[in-house]
Amino acid sequence: MRILVVEDNDDLRFAVTAALRGAHDLRTPAASLRLLAETALRDDATRTEALKRTVSLATRTGDLVDGLLTRARLTAGVTTLATEPLRFDQLVEAVVDDTHTGEHRITLHTDPTVVDADPDLLRRAVTNLLANALTHGHAPGLSAAVELTVTADGTLAVDDAGPGVPPHLADSLFQRFRSGSDSTGLGLSITAWIARTHSGSLTVTTSERGGARFTLTIPAKRRP
């Protein structure tokens, strides 16, 4: 177990900004959940569909809250990293199994890989990368086709066939509240932080599939 100190001379400004953005980010899904619940109560004909959308939105809201809590740990500047040997490939498989894909397609290739990592944080990083690919890695109106590859050196590559990342955004993509879309960029900034705390890295390049390739590397400890 290690205590990590995140050096940031702008913590106060960031904390205020995080609180404001967090409150703003939660207002919309909270209002939507109420509207869907009211629709389900008064309209029997659309109740099933309204409840399905309620569950989906509640799941996304829970993910947002998890992200905000993780960001709060980062903002505080001190956090406990509870590392343990774990199978990186099995963790990625579990994330894929737990992800509702709808019409999207996920292809998974894995080699047995052991890393020393905080399982909760690493799972958050993988979840963020997969969610980002499913959300942004396809053209409007089309299904996403995402490929995840885990190799024995502790590398996870997430490839999509979307529009990719413009070169001028690549350097700033992992900064707080920066992204190439209408999102806050929270997920990618947290993922980059998680990579750094594990002496790893997060990079983005162009995928052979035509979209973006996000590469998360956590140094492997030994072959299983």
Side-chain angles (χ1 to χ4, degrees):
M1 180 179 295
R2 292 181 288 156
I3 302 296
L4 296 180
V5 178
V6 179
E7 296 183 358
D8 192 336
N9 295 326
D10 215 10
D11 274 346
L12 180 58
R13 181 181 64 83
F14 175 60
V16 174
T17 304
L20 291 174
R21 285 182 179 270
H24 174 75
D25 288 346
L26 286 172
R27 287 181 63 185
T28 299
S32 298
L33 282 172
R34 179 175 179 175
L35 178 61
L36 286 170
E38 291 174 347
T39 300
L41 283 174
R42 68 171 179 263
D43 191 346
D44 291 340
T46 61
R47 178 170 299 167
T48 299
E49 181 60 28
L51 289 175
K52 288 181 180 179
R53 293 175 60 191
T54 299
V55 171
S56 177
L57 182 56
T59 300
R60 295 200 302 272
T61 303
D63 290 339
L64 175 59
V65 171
D66 286 344
L68 291 171
L69 290 173
T70 303
R71 184 170 65 188
R73 294 174 64 185
L74 184 156
T75 306
V78 179
T79 187
T80 300
L81 189 68
T83 61
E84 61 183 64
L86 58 85
R87 286 282 297 270
F88 194 14
D89 55 307
Q90 293 178 351
L91 182 145
V92 173
E93 290 173 357
V95 170
V96 171
D97 288 342
D98 291 342
T99 299
H100 176 68
T101 59
E103 297 180 353
H104 302 314
R105 302 186 305 278
I106 299 177
T107 304
L108 180 61
H109 309 282
T110 63
D111 291 328
T113 309
V114 173
V115 297
D116 275 348
D118 182 308
D120 292 335
L121 289 180
L122 189 55
R123 184 180 181 90
R124 167 56 51 189
V126 175
T127 299
N128 288 347
L129 290 178
L130 180 55
N132 180 75
L134 292 175
T135 301
H136 304 293
H138 59 94
L142 298 180
S143 299
V146 179
E147 183 175 5
L148 287 80
T149 305
V150 181
T151 53
D153 61 352
T155 295
L156 165 66
V158 181
D159 292 275
D160 64 58
V165 177
H168 68 279
L169 289 179
D171 292 338
S172 63
L173 193 63
F174 305 136
Q175 295 176 8
R176 299 161 178 173
F177 308 122
R178 292 292 299 276
S179 75
S181 65
D182 293 332
S183 68
T184 62
L186 171 63
L188 292 178
S189 67
I190 287 177
T191 301
W193 172 75
I194 292 172
R196 291 194 301 271
T197 62
H198 288 84
S199 301
S201 63
L202 176 65
T203 59
V204 59
T205 55
T206 300
S207 169
E208 293 181 356
R209 301 174 64 89
R213 162 173 279 204
F214 287 87
T215 303
L216 172 66
T217 300
I218 306 295
K221 305 305 292 185
R222 58 181 175 82
R223 292 186 64 88

